Amino acid sequence: MIGTPGGRPDELSSAAVVADRFDRITWRDTYEQSAGLRELAGDLGARHDGAADLLTDVFLAAYQVRPKLRAAAAMDPTRLVNHEIVAGLLESPGFAELHRETAGDPYAAAMAVLAQGAALRGMLEGSREAQERAEQADEAERARQDAEEAADASADNEAAGPDGPQASDGSEASDGPDEGAESGAGPERDPGAARRAAEAARDAAAQALAAASPGVRAAARAASARAAAAVREEAALMRAWGVGAGELERMPFERRARLAERLRTGRLAQWAELIGRFRQMAAGERARKVENTAGELIGVTLGDDLSRVIPSELANLGLPGLRAVFAARYAAGELMLYDSQGEQTTGRGAIIACVDTSHSMYVAGPGGVTREAWSKACALALLDQARRAGRDFVGILFSSADRLRVFRFPAGEPAGIDRTLDFAESFLGGGTSYQAPLTRAGALLEEEFNDAARSRGDIVLITDDECGVTEEWTRGWNEAKQRLGFRLFGVAVGAPRAAGSGSVLEALCDNLRSIEDLTEVQGAADLFRVI
């Protein structure tokens, strides 16, 4: 880089982070799409001239895979405060954690900038004196350059000869009074004085920046830690609600921002961790599930399943004379096998989650988790179960007999995060009626059977209450179960129910479990092995 006589580079950069044009295009596109970034830039820019450059640097530091800080000597003096702030961010312990979430993701990088907005404002205010000194030093440097240029021009005029400069029409220029001569040579015309003033201003700016540096570095450490926590929290929210990285990459910036805001402020926002644990547990149970797995051993039977052949039959294979006998009995299906019993996966029709949303479901258990939150988390995991198995899913929210909402998620269509959130966040209030949701669930399975010839669906009734049903309704319900071959699983949340208590819920359900500890998800684990 070529320098001027005072040692100042010809070209100084206003950017603390080295970036190519593609990185800057990404920043401009993100800035144009983000109302939050534009608002922050306007707010900071009203009081600080270098705010726009600082926001660009903070974004690029978060976005680039390997951000590189420009040398301070190559910086415009009026942007050295920005350089100090960005250096503090890059060197802070929390930046590495933040960078893992933001590198290569423009949205996450923009979120990091917004999360540090208040801290950046504080750092700029705290280093205001250093900024003012830097601007004064820049003005003094420009004055030095002007003085040296004026001195050079004067020397050139003297070298032109005694005739002096000519007027534009060829006549001699006027010999009128010289204002500069009358007033004396001021600092702006005295190169030596200008040089001394510039050096003093630079020293003062350097001292002010050094004085501000500890505060800037401390604030940068705190800012990067807070930003890392905010970005990590949003990423966890997205994962908990089943929003994949690929879906996020395709999502327009503003839609992603609205979705994140909805997840942070929605009805179940504080239960995202529970929802995530439920989904992870269900995925683990699916991985462990083996079709037609053996259950409790109850005796010996005949057949051709080599995985259950008893040891004495296998011993025949070790005797050459009995191998032909073994082969004949295998062909005839007459090998002696271990016999077992256990719940088998038989569902093929839709999975329907009937979730109680009566007033009592808003009650929190000992761990602070509400019955509604646990039930909705379980229902969302059942939605995942249906998607993985290629089965339709229906969520039925119910309370009183006249309060019912149905959310359908066909297997052949994307579930859609907005529709999923509508299902999870809806709450009806009121009393409890089993007949209305179960009747609707039976009708949906009947419709599926008539339209697609699919039977053997699964209904999961999640409730905390007990209510009566009529004998006439019960007869119709049992007939529908026998005709369509569906199963009804019951989940009683928040209150213990002893087996054999004779409750209506126990009488209706083929399989009933009671959940007392709402902070745990393992109480429903077997559901995801048999559904």
Side-chain angles (χ1 to χ4, degrees):
M1 183 177 292
I2 301 173
T4 57
R8 178 186 175 93
D10 288 332
E11 295 182 4
L12 294 172
S13 178
S14 62
V17 176
V18 178
D20 58 29
R21 66 187 185 93
F22 298 105
D23 289 338
R24 296 194 175 279
I25 289 173
T26 300
W27 160 248
R28 286 196 296 270
D29 290 344
T30 305
Y31 181 83
E32 291 172 0
Q33 295 178 59
S34 172
L37 286 177
R38 296 194 299 273
E39 182 179 351
L40 179 61
D43 181 32
L44 295 182
R47 293 178 56 82
H48 306 282
D49 290 340
D53 291 327
L54 176 61
L55 294 184
T56 304
D57 285 330
V58 175
F59 172 86
L60 292 174
Y63 172 71
Q64 291 179 342
V65 176
R66 294 182 179 84
K68 180 181 178 182
L69 189 66
R70 194 181 305 277
M75 291 291 298
D76 185 319
T78 63
R79 297 296 182 265
L80 286 174
V81 167
N82 289 0
H83 187 277
E84 190 70 17
I85 292 173
V86 176
L89 291 173
L90 290 174
E91 295 170 6
S92 62
F95 179 78
E97 183 180 356
L98 171 66
H99 195 243
R100 282 194 293 271
E101 300 287 348
T102 61
D105 186 342
Y107 175 87
M111 184 185 171
V113 175
L114 294 173
Q116 296 174 96
L120 293 175
R121 183 182 296 106
M123 284 185 274
L124 288 172
E125 291 291 342
S127 55
R128 177 176 287 279
E129 181 182 354
Q131 181 64 32
E132 291 174 351
R133 294 286 189 182
E135 292 171 355
Q136 292 169 5
D138 187 59
E139 292 175 0
E141 179 64 23
R142 295 184 188 281
R144 178 194 66 76
Q145 289 181 344
D146 291 343
E148 290 183 351
E149 290 174 0
D152 290 343
S154 177
D156 291 342
N157 288 337
E158 291 178 2
D163 294 337
Q166 298 292 315
S168 59
D169 58 358
S171 62
E172 292 186 359
S174 171
D175 291 331
D178 185 344
E179 296 179 2
E182 289 184 0
S183 61
E188 70 278 4
R189 302 300 297 273
D190 182 353
R195 187 178 300 108
R196 290 190 294 273
E199 290 174 354
R202 282 198 300 271
D203 290 342
Q207 292 174 6
L209 185 60
S213 180
V216 167
R217 296 298 175 108
R221 286 194 295 272
S224 62
R226 285 194 297 270
V231 173
R232 186 173 60 251
E233 177 185 356
E234 181 168 313
L237 270 176
M238 294 295 183
R239 287 193 295 268
W241 285 96
V243 185
E247 183 178 357
L248 288 176
E249 289 176 2
R250 295 189 298 271
M251 195 177 293
F253 187 95
E254 282 302 326
R255 182 165 180 267
R256 184 171 172 180
R258 289 194 300 270
L259 173 60
E261 181 65 19
R262 184 176 181 182
L263 294 181
R264 281 193 295 267
T265 60
R267 185 180 184 87
L268 299 180
Q270 61 180 314
W271 311 121
E273 189 269 341
L274 174 68
I275 293 169
R277 283 197 293 123
F278 236 113
R279 286 180 141 153
Q280 289 176 359
M281 177 273 292
E285 294 302 319
R286 281 194 298 273
R288 290 174 53 193
K289 183 169 64 176
V290 179
E291 298 292 339
N292 301 318
T293 184
E296 179 186 3
L297 293 176
I298 59 173
V300 176
T301 185
L302 299 179
D304 59 359
D305 187 351
L306 296 177
S307 67
R308 295 190 290 133
V309 174
I310 67 175
S312 60
E313 286 278 27
L314 290 175
N316 292 335
L317 287 175
L319 300 174
L322 295 179
R323 289 175 186 170
V325 175
F326 181 93
R329 294 180 64 184
Y330 172 68
E334 295 179 353
L335 293 174
M336 287 189 292
L337 315 174
Y338 285 121
D339 195 10
S340 63
Q341 66 178 8
E343 281 188 297
Q344 305 297 320
T345 302
T346 60
R348 291 296 180 271
I351 297 176
I352 302 178
C354 298
V355 182
D356 188 350
T357 59
S358 59
H359 284 310
S360 59
M361 292 292 286
Y362 197 63
V363 174
V369 179
T370 65
R371 298 170 182 177
E372 178 204 8
W374 192 97
S375 301
K376 296 287 184 61
C378 183
L380 290 172
L382 288 169
L383 169 58
D384 289 345
Q385 188 87 347
R387 307 301 291 182
R388 299 299 187 276
R391 300 168 66 181
D392 290 349
F393 177 82
V394 181
I396 299 178
L397 305 181
F398 70 93
S399 57
S400 306
D402 59 342
R403 295 188 179 183
L404 201 72
R405 287 197 67 184
V406 178
F407 295 84
R408 305 184 70 163
F409 298 86
E413 301 175 9
I417 183 61
D418 292 329
R419 181 74 169 161
T420 302
L421 286 171
D422 288 342
F423 165 61
E425 294 177 348
S426 297
F427 191 83
L428 303 179
T432 304
S433 169
Y434 293 165
Q435 289 187 192
L438 292 179
T439 298
R440 185 61 182 275
L444 289 169
L445 292 177
E446 180 96 44
E447 176 185 328
E448 183 181 36
F449 178 76
N450 293 334
D451 292 346
R454 284 197 300 267
S455 61
R456 292 161 40 188
D458 291 310
I459 302 173
V460 181
L461 176 63
I462 310 174
T463 182
D464 71 333
D465 210 347
E466 186 74 26
C467 66
V469 294
T470 66
E471 290 185 8
E472 181 180 359
W473 180 87
T474 302
R475 284 194 297 271
W477 172 256
N478 289 333
E479 290 173 1
K481 280 186 66 178
Q482 185 175 5
R483 183 174 67 257
L484 300 173
F486 62 79
R487 299 175 297 181
L488 175 60
F489 296 86
V491 183
V493 294
R497 281 173 169 76
S501 61
S503 68
V504 172
L505 194 60
E506 188 174 21
L508 287 174
C509 296
D510 301 295
N511 183 305
L512 176 63
R513 66 217 10 90
S514 180
I515 306 296
E516 298 180 51
D517 185 358
L518 300 183
T519 64
E520 285 298 323
V521 300
Q522 292 299 323
D526 63 316
L527 272 176
F528 301 93
R529 290 194 297 268
V530 299
I531 289 181

